[in-house]
Amino acid sequence: MADPSTCLPLTPDSIRRTHERIKTYIHRTPLIVSRTMNKIASSPDPRAYLADDPPGIWDDDGMDGDGRGSGNEVPRFNLYFKCENHQKIGAFKARGAFSALTHLASPPNAELRGIGIEALRKRGVVTHSSGNHAQALALAASTLGVPAWIVMPTISTKSKISGTKGHKGVTVVFSGSTAPEREAVVNEVIEERRKETGEKGPILVPPYDHVDILLGQGTAGYEAEEQLRSMKRSGKICSGAAEGGHDAADGGRGGAGEGRFDAVLTPLGGGGLLGGTATWYSHTHESSKKTLVFGCEPNFEGANDGERGLAAKPPKRIEHVKTLTVADGLRTPVGIIPWSVISDNEKVEGVFSVSEDEIKMALKLMMERVKVVIEPSSAVPVAVILFNQRFRQLVAEKQKEEGTGRPCDVGVIISGGNTTVEGLSKLFSEGWNKFDAERQTGEVGVDGSRTAEDVAG
């Protein structure tokens, strides 16, 4: 990876500059709103809308005239979904991959002191990933004409394997699912290339634990804030969306328009997305309105390592995670560099977790009510908003303190949509409320193995 001494500092301005560098390679994904999801999230019991006979979406739910329940105990939300499921390769990871490779490809005497594109093409790149980073690096490498070797655990879903193999100049190499097994295969690839070329081997581009990756992922939050301001300036806000539909903003370019999120939520796996998002929104700490940033995790088999690490006294990064949560993109521990951001309570307000059933319920509501196809990992922050009582109480208390009765403007980074019809069919084959003991998303490897440890998404 690029020498850290050649990287931009981990600051909001660096994220803005990174976006300028990679914007021609990535999609500016839409920021959408759903009046229906606002209503469900702002109801006393969002679970009621998953019943066989749910309440009418505009039925009286006990709110008083200004939208507040007695005592203001029910949180109220205007939700804004940043749809990275519409990003290239179907996930936000394309941002970090292009950030990393465009830095490496920069001339040695440029501001970003890379190795130059010809040297990069000669050496190539290598990584290990269960799917989304694998596809993202394959795309970035193919776009820049750089050979790439992608080490994928056999537990990776078949669609993500085929999505990685489909890029020119990319070689997929399989490994076991534990961290030592994957790292051993990466080292084997590097050594084999050294022997073949007599030169240095391919450069390792990690899935999340590098400044360039965080800066790239943070551009999703940067775009979302620009788009919110554009929506506020134009008057195109959440009240315009009909049942089951959504409005979208393609965004403006900066400007002095009003509009900041009260809070932003992202999934938390290795921490690149949360760390980058929190870095961007740290610029609001100097203003009169601070945007609170939260991480969201599954809690199945200890997948909530970020939440558990922050709860330790003193807080401590948990180094290993072994889980087969349906949120397969979040099966990895928080990285060292992301942890330095996430453990800073001036940047990340907190981390909350949800159960497998809650993830499935949120996924069902997003597909049926908002009409977007997302992967289970993307449903985790939605599940926190709908079902995590600690989070909902926190929002209700802050609204009570503010005393205006207005809903909170909450941004949700929808991290990706890399799933399959077959996977979703299996996931819901017995109904949303009957959790199958088998992991339905990447439950077994192509060799039949069921071991997964520290799997990088």
Side-chain angles (χ1 to χ4, degrees), residues 346-374:
E346 286 296 312
K347 294 180 179 177
V348 174
E349 189 74 9
V351 175
F352 295 87
S353 66
V354 287
S355 70
E356 301 291 272
D357 275 347
E358 289 167 339
I359 295 169
K360 290 174 66 178
M361 288 190 286
L363 185 62
K364 177 181 172 70
L365 286 169
M366 287 296 290
M367 289 193 298
E368 294 186 351
R369 299 285 188 156
V370 190
K371 312 304 182 188
V372 296
V373 177
I374 62 176

PDB file of all heavy atoms in Angstrom, residues 346-374:
ATOM      1  N   GLU A 346     -15.442  12.441  20.043  1.00  0.00           N
ATOM      2  CA  GLU A 346     -15.729  13.707  19.383  1.00  0.00           C
ATOM      3  C   GLU A 346     -16.141  13.482  17.923  1.00  0.00           C
ATOM      4  O   GLU A 346     -16.708  14.371  17.287  1.00  0.00           O
ATOM      5  CB  GLU A 346     -14.508  14.626  19.436  1.00  0.00           C
ATOM      6  CG  GLU A 346     -14.265  15.235  20.804  1.00  0.00           C
ATOM      7  CD  GLU A 346     -15.403  16.166  21.216  1.00  0.00           C
ATOM      8  OE1 GLU A 346     -15.800  17.019  20.399  1.00  0.00           O
ATOM      9  OE2 GLU A 346     -15.899  16.027  22.342  1.00  0.00           O
ATOM     10  N   LYS A 347     -15.859  12.280  17.402  1.00  0.00           N
ATOM     11  CA  LYS A 347     -16.170  11.979  16.004  1.00  0.00           C
ATOM     12  C   LYS A 347     -17.290  10.956  15.864  1.00  0.00           C
ATOM     13  O   LYS A 347     -18.117  11.057  14.954  1.00  0.00           O
ATOM     14  CB  LYS A 347     -14.902  11.495  15.279  1.00  0.00           C
ATOM     15  CG  LYS A 347     -13.838  12.576  15.163  1.00  0.00           C
ATOM     16  CD  LYS A 347     -12.603  12.078  14.442  1.00  0.00           C
ATOM     17  CE  LYS A 347     -11.555  13.191  14.313  1.00  0.00           C
ATOM     18  NZ  LYS A 347     -10.314  12.709  13.665  1.00  0.00           N
ATOM     19  N   VAL A 348     -17.300   9.947  16.716  1.00  0.00           N
ATOM     20  CA  VAL A 348     -18.353   8.928  16.674  1.00  0.00           C
ATOM     21  C   VAL A 348     -19.103   8.948  17.992  1.00  0.00           C
ATOM     22  O   VAL A 348     -18.519   8.750  19.052  1.00  0.00           O
ATOM     23  CB  VAL A 348     -17.764   7.526  16.397  1.00  0.00           C
ATOM     24  CG1 VAL A 348     -18.855   6.458  16.509  1.00  0.00           C
ATOM     25  CG2 VAL A 348     -17.132   7.481  15.009  1.00  0.00           C
ATOM     26  N   GLU A 349     -20.396   9.185  17.908  1.00  0.00           N
ATOM     27  CA  GLU A 349     -21.230   9.321  19.104  1.00  0.00           C
ATOM     28  C   GLU A 349     -21.461   7.986  19.789  1.00  0.00           C
ATOM     29  O   GLU A 349     -21.591   7.909  21.008  1.00  0.00           O
ATOM     30  CB  GLU A 349     -22.571   9.957  18.726  1.00  0.00           C
ATOM     31  CG  GLU A 349     -23.438  10.350  19.897  1.00  0.00           C
ATOM     32  CD  GLU A 349     -22.940  11.598  20.615  1.00  0.00           C
ATOM     33  OE1 GLU A 349     -22.003  12.262  20.094  1.00  0.00           O
ATOM     34  OE2 GLU A 349     -23.484  11.912  21.687  1.00  0.00           O
ATOM     35  N   GLY A 350     -21.517   6.906  19.008  1.00  0.00           N
ATOM     36  CA  GLY A 350     -21.752   5.599  19.604  1.00  0.00           C
ATOM     37  C   GLY A 350     -21.962   4.541  18.542  1.00  0.00           C
ATOM     38  O   GLY A 350     -22.074   4.830  17.345  1.00  0.00           O
ATOM     39  N   VAL A 351     -22.002   3.286  18.997  1.00  0.00           N
ATOM     40  CA  VAL A 351     -22.242   2.137  18.121  1.00  0.00           C
ATOM     41  C   VAL A 351     -23.377   1.319  18.722  1.00  0.00           C
ATOM     42  O   VAL A 351     -23.388   1.048  19.925  1.00  0.00           O
ATOM     43  CB  VAL A 351     -20.976   1.270  17.964  1.00  0.00           C
ATOM     44  CG1 VAL A 351     -21.277   0.008  17.160  1.00  0.00           C
ATOM     45  CG2 VAL A 351     -19.851   2.065  17.296  1.00  0.00           C
ATOM     46  N   PHE A 352     -24.329   0.928  17.888  1.00  0.00           N
ATOM     47  CA  PHE A 352     -25.482   0.153  18.328  1.00  0.00           C
ATOM     48  C   PHE A 352     -25.582  -1.125  17.498  1.00  0.00           C
ATOM     49  O   PHE A 352     -25.127  -1.161  16.350  1.00  0.00           O
ATOM     50  CB  PHE A 352     -26.765   0.969  18.188  1.00  0.00           C
ATOM     51  CG  PHE A 352     -26.820   2.170  19.083  1.00  0.00           C
ATOM     52  CD1 PHE A 352     -26.281   3.390  18.673  1.00  0.00           C
ATOM     53  CD2 PHE A 352     -27.394   2.088  20.337  1.00  0.00           C
ATOM     54  CE1 PHE A 352     -26.331   4.508  19.500  1.00  0.00           C
ATOM     55  CE2 PHE A 352     -27.445   3.198  21.177  1.00  0.00           C
ATOM     56  CZ  PHE A 352     -26.911   4.403  20.762  1.00  0.00           C
ATOM     57  N   SER A 353     -26.202  -2.162  18.070  1.00  0.00           N
ATOM     58  CA  SER A 353     -26.294  -3.434  17.355  1.00  0.00           C
ATOM     59  C   SER A 353     -27.721  -3.962  17.345  1.00  0.00           C
ATOM     60  O   SER A 353     -28.564  -3.550  18.146  1.00  0.00           O
ATOM     61  CB  SER A 353     -25.359  -4.470  17.978  1.00  0.00           C
ATOM     62  OG  SER A 353     -25.772  -4.810  19.301  1.00  0.00           O
ATOM     63  N   VAL A 354     -27.967  -4.898  16.438  1.00  0.00           N
ATOM     64  CA  VAL A 354     -29.297  -5.482  16.255  1.00  0.00           C
ATOM     65  C   VAL A 354     -29.172  -6.978  16.002  1.00  0.00           C
ATOM     66  O   VAL A 354     -28.101  -7.489  15.653  1.00  0.00           O
ATOM     67  CB  VAL A 354     -30.042  -4.823  15.074  1.00  0.00           C
ATOM     68  CG1 VAL A 354     -30.513  -3.430  15.427  1.00  0.00           C
ATOM     69  CG2 VAL A 354     -29.173  -4.797  13.827  1.00  0.00           C
ATOM     70  N   SER A 355     -30.300  -7.673  16.180  1.00  0.00           N
ATOM     71  CA  SER A 355     -30.343  -9.130  16.009  1.00  0.00           C
ATOM     72  C   SER A 355     -30.529  -9.508  14.545  1.00  0.00           C
ATOM     73  O   SER A 355     -30.845  -8.670  13.693  1.00  0.00           O
ATOM     74  CB  SER A 355     -31.493  -9.709  16.828  1.00  0.00           C
ATOM     75  OG  SER A 355     -32.746  -9.334  16.251  1.00  0.00           O
ATOM     76  N   GLU A 356     -30.385 -10.789  14.265  1.00  0.00           N
ATOM     77  CA  GLU A 356     -30.591 -11.294  12.907  1.00  0.00           C
ATOM     78  C   GLU A 356     -32.028 -11.057  12.442  1.00  0.00           C
ATOM     79  O   GLU A 356     -32.268 -10.669  11.299  1.00  0.00           O
ATOM     80  CB  GLU A 356     -30.255 -12.787  12.849  1.00  0.00           C
ATOM     81  CG  GLU A 356     -28.837 -13.130  13.257  1.00  0.00           C
ATOM     82  CD  GLU A 356     -27.797 -12.641  12.273  1.00  0.00           C
ATOM     83  OE1 GLU A 356     -27.481 -13.365  11.307  1.00  0.00           O
ATOM     84  OE2 GLU A 356     -27.287 -11.521  12.471  1.00  0.00           O
ATOM     85  N   ASP A 357     -33.000 -11.323  13.304  1.00  0.00           N
ATOM     86  CA  ASP A 357     -34.393 -11.104  12.920  1.00  0.00           C
ATOM     87  C   ASP A 357     -34.659  -9.634  12.635  1.00  0.00           C
ATOM     88  O   ASP A 357     -35.420  -9.297  11.710  1.00  0.00           O
ATOM     89  CB  ASP A 357     -35.329 -11.602  14.033  1.00  0.00           C
ATOM     90  CG  ASP A 357     -35.624 -13.086  13.922  1.00  0.00           C
ATOM     91  OD1 ASP A 357     -35.316 -13.667  12.871  1.00  0.00           O
ATOM     92  OD2 ASP A 357     -36.164 -13.660  14.889  1.00  0.00           O
ATOM     93  N   GLU A 358     -34.058  -8.745  13.417  1.00  0.00           N
ATOM     94  CA  GLU A 358     -34.261  -7.313  13.187  1.00  0.00           C
ATOM     95  C   GLU A 358     -33.656  -6.882  11.859  1.00  0.00           C
ATOM     96  O   GLU A 358     -34.223  -6.033  11.150  1.00  0.00           O
ATOM     97  CB  GLU A 358     -33.680  -6.519  14.361  1.00  0.00           C
ATOM     98  CG  GLU A 358     -34.510  -6.675  15.622  1.00  0.00           C
ATOM     99  CD  GLU A 358     -33.826  -6.180  16.880  1.00  0.00           C
ATOM    100  OE1 GLU A 358     -32.574  -6.072  16.890  1.00  0.00           O
ATOM    101  OE2 GLU A 358     -34.531  -5.919  17.869  1.00  0.00           O
ATOM    102  N   ILE A 359     -32.526  -7.463  11.497  1.00  0.00           N
ATOM    103  CA  ILE A 359     -31.928  -7.171  10.187  1.00  0.00           C
ATOM    104  C   ILE A 359     -32.875  -7.620   9.077  1.00  0.00           C
ATOM    105  O   ILE A 359     -33.114  -6.892   8.100  1.00  0.00           O
ATOM    106  CB  ILE A 359     -30.564  -7.867  10.040  1.00  0.00           C
ATOM    107  CG1 ILE A 359     -29.560  -7.293  11.043  1.00  0.00           C
ATOM    108  CG2 ILE A 359     -30.029  -7.729   8.609  1.00  0.00           C
ATOM    109  CD1 ILE A 359     -28.269  -8.088  11.149  1.00  0.00           C
ATOM    110  N   LYS A 360     -33.432  -8.805   9.227  1.00  0.00           N
ATOM    111  CA  LYS A 360     -34.351  -9.319   8.215  1.00  0.00           C
ATOM    112  C   LYS A 360     -35.615  -8.464   8.110  1.00  0.00           C
ATOM    113  O   LYS A 360     -36.119  -8.207   7.011  1.00  0.00           O
ATOM    114  CB  LYS A 360     -34.718 -10.766   8.537  1.00  0.00           C
ATOM    115  CG  LYS A 360     -33.578 -11.752   8.339  1.00  0.00           C
ATOM    116  CD  LYS A 360     -33.940 -13.143   8.810  1.00  0.00           C
ATOM    117  CE  LYS A 360     -35.027 -13.761   7.988  1.00  0.00           C
ATOM    118  NZ  LYS A 360     -35.346 -15.143   8.426  1.00  0.00           N
ATOM    119  N   MET A 361     -36.136  -8.019   9.242  1.00  0.00           N
ATOM    120  CA  MET A 361     -37.323  -7.171   9.227  1.00  0.00           C
ATOM    121  C   MET A 361     -37.050  -5.858   8.506  1.00  0.00           C
ATOM    122  O   MET A 361     -37.864  -5.381   7.705  1.00  0.00           O
ATOM    123  CB  MET A 361     -37.808  -6.922  10.654  1.00  0.00           C
ATOM    124  CG  MET A 361     -38.441  -8.134  11.316  1.00  0.00           C
ATOM    125  SD  MET A 361     -39.254  -7.753  12.898  1.00  0.00           S
ATOM    126  CE  MET A 361     -37.838  -7.520  13.969  1.00  0.00           C
ATOM    127  N   ALA A 362     -35.899  -5.251   8.792  1.00  0.00           N
ATOM    128  CA  ALA A 362     -35.538  -3.993   8.128  1.00  0.00           C
ATOM    129  C   ALA A 362     -35.353  -4.209   6.625  1.00  0.00           C
ATOM    130  O   ALA A 362     -35.769  -3.370   5.806  1.00  0.00           O
ATOM    131  CB  ALA A 362     -34.264  -3.428   8.749  1.00  0.00           C
ATOM    132  N   LEU A 363     -34.739  -5.324   6.269  1.00  0.00           N
ATOM    133  CA  LEU A 363     -34.534  -5.649   4.858  1.00  0.00           C
ATOM    134  C   LEU A 363     -35.875  -5.794   4.142  1.00  0.00           C
ATOM    135  O   LEU A 363     -36.063  -5.279   3.034  1.00  0.00           O
ATOM    136  CB  LEU A 363     -33.723  -6.945   4.756  1.00  0.00           C
ATOM    137  CG  LEU A 363     -33.287  -7.421   3.378  1.00  0.00           C
ATOM    138  CD1 LEU A 363     -32.376  -6.406   2.712  1.00  0.00           C
ATOM    139  CD2 LEU A 363     -32.573  -8.771   3.497  1.00  0.00           C
ATOM    140  N   LYS A 364     -36.805  -6.461   4.790  1.00  0.00           N
ATOM    141  CA  LYS A 364     -38.137  -6.646   4.205  1.00  0.00           C
ATOM    142  C   LYS A 364     -38.831  -5.298   3.987  1.00  0.00           C
ATOM    143  O   LYS A 364     -39.402  -5.041   2.911  1.00  0.00           O
ATOM    144  CB  LYS A 364     -38.980  -7.531   5.125  1.00  0.00           C
ATOM    145  CG  LYS A 364     -40.426  -7.746   4.679  1.00  0.00           C
ATOM    146  CD  LYS A 364     -41.160  -8.609   5.683  1.00  0.00           C
ATOM    147  CE  LYS A 364     -42.658  -8.694   5.371  1.00  0.00           C
ATOM    148  NZ  LYS A 364     -42.917  -9.478   4.144  1.00  0.00           N
ATOM    149  N   LEU A 365     -38.776  -4.435   4.982  1.00  0.00           N
ATOM    150  CA  LEU A 365     -39.430  -3.122   4.862  1.00  0.00           C
ATOM    151  C   LEU A 365     -38.794  -2.279   3.761  1.00  0.00           C
ATOM    152  O   LEU A 365     -39.493  -1.583   3.009  1.00  0.00           O
ATOM    153  CB  LEU A 365     -39.384  -2.384   6.190  1.00  0.00           C
ATOM    154  CG  LEU A 365     -40.342  -2.897   7.276  1.00  0.00           C
ATOM    155  CD1 LEU A 365     -40.019  -2.266   8.622  1.00  0.00           C
ATOM    156  CD2 LEU A 365     -41.794  -2.624   6.887  1.00  0.00           C
ATOM    157  N   MET A 366     -37.459  -2.316   3.662  1.00  0.00           N
ATOM    158  CA  MET A 366     -36.793  -1.512   2.629  1.00  0.00           C
ATOM    159  C   MET A 366     -37.157  -2.004   1.232  1.00  0.00           C
ATOM    160  O   MET A 366     -37.379  -1.197   0.314  1.00  0.00           O
ATOM    161  CB  MET A 366     -35.276  -1.552   2.834  1.00  0.00           C
ATOM    162  CG  MET A 366     -34.789  -0.743   4.011  1.00  0.00           C
ATOM    163  SD  MET A 366     -35.098   1.041   3.831  1.00  0.00           S
ATOM    164  CE  MET A 366     -33.945   1.446   2.516  1.00  0.00           C
ATOM    165  N   MET A 367     -37.245  -3.310   1.051  1.00  0.00           N
ATOM    166  CA  MET A 367     -37.570  -3.835  -0.273  1.00  0.00           C
ATOM    167  C   MET A 367     -39.040  -3.607  -0.618  1.00  0.00           C
ATOM    168  O   MET A 367     -39.371  -3.233  -1.741  1.00  0.00           O
ATOM    169  CB  MET A 367     -37.217  -5.317  -0.349  1.00  0.00           C
ATOM    170  CG  MET A 367     -35.722  -5.583  -0.370  1.00  0.00           C
ATOM    171  SD  MET A 367     -35.300  -7.283  -0.828  1.00  0.00           S
ATOM    172  CE  MET A 367     -36.075  -8.189   0.514  1.00  0.00           C
ATOM    173  N   GLU A 368     -39.927  -3.833   0.343  1.00  0.00           N
ATOM    174  CA  GLU A 368     -41.351  -3.759   0.046  1.00  0.00           C
ATOM    175  C   GLU A 368     -41.906  -2.337   0.097  1.00  0.00           C
ATOM    176  O   GLU A 368     -42.829  -2.010  -0.643  1.00  0.00           O
ATOM    177  CB  GLU A 368     -42.123  -4.656   1.013  1.00  0.00           C
ATOM    178  CG  GLU A 368     -41.813  -6.141   0.813  1.00  0.00           C
ATOM    179  CD  GLU A 368     -42.680  -7.049   1.677  1.00  0.00           C
ATOM    180  OE1 GLU A 368     -43.408  -6.526   2.555  1.00  0.00           O
ATOM    181  OE2 GLU A 368     -42.617  -8.274   1.483  1.00  0.00           O
ATOM    182  N   ARG A 369     -41.360  -1.496   0.975  1.00  0.00           N
ATOM    183  CA  ARG A 369     -41.906  -0.150   1.138  1.00  0.00           C
ATOM    184  C   ARG A 369     -41.140   0.915   0.349  1.00  0.00           C
ATOM    185  O   ARG A 369     -41.717   1.891  -0.110  1.00  0.00           O
ATOM    186  CB  ARG A 369     -41.904   0.230   2.619  1.00  0.00           C
ATOM    187  CG  ARG A 369     -42.750  -0.692   3.497  1.00  0.00           C
ATOM    188  CD  ARG A 369     -44.235  -0.436   3.314  1.00  0.00           C
ATOM    189  NE  ARG A 369     -45.030  -1.173   4.286  1.00  0.00           N
ATOM    190  CZ  ARG A 369     -46.249  -0.829   4.668  1.00  0.00           C
ATOM    191  NH1 ARG A 369     -46.829   0.248   4.160  1.00  0.00           N
ATOM    192  NH2 ARG A 369     -46.907  -1.561   5.554  1.00  0.00           N
ATOM    193  N   VAL A 370     -39.830   0.741   0.221  1.00  0.00           N
ATOM    194  CA  VAL A 370     -39.020   1.740  -0.487  1.00  0.00           C
ATOM    195  C   VAL A 370     -38.673   1.279  -1.893  1.00  0.00           C
ATOM    196  O   VAL A 370     -38.269   2.063  -2.737  1.00  0.00           O
ATOM    197  CB  VAL A 370     -37.736   2.070   0.323  1.00  0.00           C
ATOM    198  CG1 VAL A 370     -37.010   3.274  -0.266  1.00  0.00           C
ATOM    199  CG2 VAL A 370     -38.077   2.356   1.782  1.00  0.00           C
ATOM    200  N   LYS A 371     -38.845  -0.020  -2.139  1.00  0.00           N
ATOM    201  CA  LYS A 371     -38.610  -0.596  -3.473  1.00  0.00           C
ATOM    202  C   LYS A 371     -37.151  -0.518  -3.897  1.00  0.00           C
ATOM    203  O   LYS A 371     -36.825  -0.223  -5.048  1.00  0.00           O
ATOM    204  CB  LYS A 371     -39.499   0.087  -4.539  1.00  0.00           C
ATOM    205  CG  LYS A 371     -40.967   0.215  -4.162  1.00  0.00           C
ATOM    206  CD  LYS A 371     -41.625  -1.106  -3.813  1.00  0.00           C
ATOM    207  CE  LYS A 371     -43.099  -0.924  -3.497  1.00  0.00           C
ATOM    208  NZ  LYS A 371     -43.726  -2.166  -2.980  1.00  0.00           N
ATOM    209  N   VAL A 372     -36.234  -0.780  -2.957  1.00  0.00           N
ATOM    210  CA  VAL A 372     -34.820  -0.866  -3.293  1.00  0.00           C
ATOM    211  C   VAL A 372     -34.299  -2.233  -2.873  1.00  0.00           C
ATOM    212  O   VAL A 372     -34.716  -2.781  -1.846  1.00  0.00           O
ATOM    213  CB  VAL A 372     -33.982   0.247  -2.622  1.00  0.00           C
ATOM    214  CG1 VAL A 372     -34.394   1.610  -3.118  1.00  0.00           C
ATOM    215  CG2 VAL A 372     -34.080   0.176  -1.107  1.00  0.00           C
ATOM    216  N   VAL A 373     -33.423  -2.790  -3.694  1.00  0.00           N
ATOM    217  CA  VAL A 373     -32.810  -4.077  -3.387  1.00  0.00           C
ATOM    218  C   VAL A 373     -31.469  -3.822  -2.722  1.00  0.00           C
ATOM    219  O   VAL A 373     -30.586  -3.195  -3.319  1.00  0.00           O
ATOM    220  CB  VAL A 373     -32.631  -4.926  -4.657  1.00  0.00           C
ATOM    221  CG1 VAL A 373     -31.930  -6.244  -4.320  1.00  0.00           C
ATOM    222  CG2 VAL A 373     -33.978  -5.202  -5.309  1.00  0.00           C
ATOM    223  N   ILE A 374     -31.318  -4.274  -1.491  1.00  0.00           N
ATOM    224  CA  ILE A 374     -30.074  -4.072  -0.751  1.00  0.00           C
ATOM    225  C   ILE A 374     -29.636  -5.398  -0.144  1.00  0.00           C
ATOM    226  O   ILE A 374     -30.434  -6.335  -0.021  1.00  0.00           O
ATOM    227  CB  ILE A 374     -30.232  -3.005   0.362  1.00  0.00           C
ATOM    228  CG1 ILE A 374     -31.275  -3.433   1.393  1.00  0.00           C
ATOM    229  CG2 ILE A 374     -30.593  -1.663  -0.252  1.00  0.00           C
ATOM    230  CD1 ILE A 374     -31.409  -2.475   2.566  1.00  0.00           C
TER     231      ILE A 374
END
